[in-house]
Amino acid sequence: MLLPQGDTHLFVVRHRSATPPRARVLLCPPLLQEQIRSYRFFAQLAEQWARRGIEVIRFDYSGTGDSCGLGVEFSVERAVRDIRRVWDALLRSDDHVPRVLCGVRMGALLGALAIRDGLDADMAWWWQPVLLGATWVGEAVAIDARERQSRSRFPLKPGPNAITGELMGHVIDPRLPDALKRLQWPDPRLPSMWLLDSEHALEPNMDAGDVVRLPLAFDAWAGQVDFETIIPVRLADAATERLLARLPGVAA
């Protein structure tokens, strides 16, 4: 569906439950190559959750995917507004169904900022969350440099030099990397589940009982540009069971 937003629109997909929903989830996607790399997996996961009675809403930020706008128009502030716009329009609170914000990688940090600014989620699921924007930017710049120097990608001549206003092949606002570097986890105060890869150490704000360790297959996808491996959605089955069991007022 196309969700109007002023003179533009956001591209939104609603995965409806065949039964009265046990919860509604807004899935905030990651950025740049991570969004492309994980798109199929999270679309399939949303279908799986819908079959379990969880209505899932996915969307593209302004300036990304099938939403209006150019890549150079994407900004942190606009992305947080997009999250609030989709939430307010499609996750109504009048039927007492638990509402969950699920943020993936940098989408988790953007979602946490939206909650800090007043988004009224009942619970949050943080999927391999980025806690410091500077860390994510550093990793993205390193991957970008590695790919530009790759002999397999550029076998006949040196790869192109880095360009201001471009990252991982995406045209961006030149100010975006600095804006992302300034982001820090705001530690929103609400029930949360943390879906972490095998190497992510527990942070002071994480309770061990709220942590789900993902299978090893999830460790490397964020750093991949090409589709080196496919993550079968069935590998998330155990994580899904843990998440459903912790829904407010709902037994799995």
Side-chain angles (χ1 to χ4, degrees):
M1 74 176 72
L2 300 180
L3 180 65
Q5 181 163 257
D7 296 331
T8 65
H9 67 257
L10 295 172
F11 178 76
V12 179
V13 178
R14 188 200 294 265
H15 300 263
R16 294 185 182 273
S17 168
T19 58
R22 303 162 64 185
R24 291 191 175 91
V25 174
L26 177 62
L27 187 62
C28 301
L31 301 184
L32 302 184
Q33 89 283 358
E34 293 182 5
Q35 183 180 17
I36 297 170
R37 177 68 179 82
S38 64
Y39 186 92
R40 179 65 176 169
F41 171 79
F42 284 105
Q44 291 180 319
L45 184 62
E47 284 295 310
Q48 182 189 82
W49 286 353
R51 289 193 294 270
R52 299 292 303 275
I54 309 299
E55 182 174 289
V56 182
I57 296 170
R58 299 185 296 114
F59 73 102
D60 295 333
Y61 305 109
S62 297
T64 74
D66 292 311
S67 288
C68 279
L70 302 174
V72 72
E73 297 174 308
F74 175 88
S75 70
V76 171
E77 294 78 12
R78 192 170 184 181
V80 173
R81 287 199 303 270
D82 292 344
I83 294 170
R84 291 293 303 272
R85 169 64 178 137
V86 179
W87 184 270
D88 292 342
L90 299 178
L91 283 90
R92 66 183 188 275
S93 60
D94 56 358
D95 56 3
H96 307 292
V97 174
R99 296 172 300 156
V100 180
L101 186 144
C102 179
V104 182
R105 297 281 293 153
M106 185 60 82
L109 183 46
L110 296 172
L113 293 173
I115 291 172
R116 180 201 65 186
D117 293 345
L119 186 146
D120 56 343
D122 299 304
M123 191 174 195
W125 296 343
W126 308 120
W127 193 294
Q128 294 176 279
V130 173
L131 303 182
L132 287 175
T135 300
W136 185 89
V137 172
E139 292 171 351
V141 170
I143 295 170
D144 183 272
R146 181 192 72 199
E147 295 302 317
R148 291 177 185 276
Q149 298 167 10
S150 170
R151 294 298 298 273
S152 61
R153 201 172 293 281
F154 302 102
L156 301 180
K157 61 180 181 179
N161 294 324
I163 302 172
T164 300
E166 183 178 292
L167 184 60
M168 299 301 304
H170 295 260
V171 177
I172 61 172
D173 185 331
R175 298 168 295 182
L176 180 61
D178 285 340
L180 293 173
K181 287 179 183 178
R182 291 192 291 270
L183 298 183
Q184 298 184 34
W185 190 258
D187 195 17
R189 299 294 182 177
L190 82 165
S192 297
M193 293 292 287
W194 303 85
L195 297 102
L196 306 180
D197 57 46
S198 62
E199 298 181 352
H200 197 301
L202 289 182
E203 304 288 340
N205 58 332
M206 298 178 185
D207 189 305
D210 298 332
V211 171
V212 178
R213 289 291 178 182
L214 294 167
L216 286 172
F218 289 91
D219 280 11
W221 71 267
Q224 295 176 356
V225 176
D226 298 318
F227 286 78
E228 301 173 22
T229 58
I230 295 175
I231 302 175
V233 71
R234 60 180 169 77
L235 292 183
D237 286 352
T240 293
E241 294 298 330
R242 287 283 308 279
L243 295 176
L244 296 186
R246 292 291 297 276
L247 284 172
V250 178

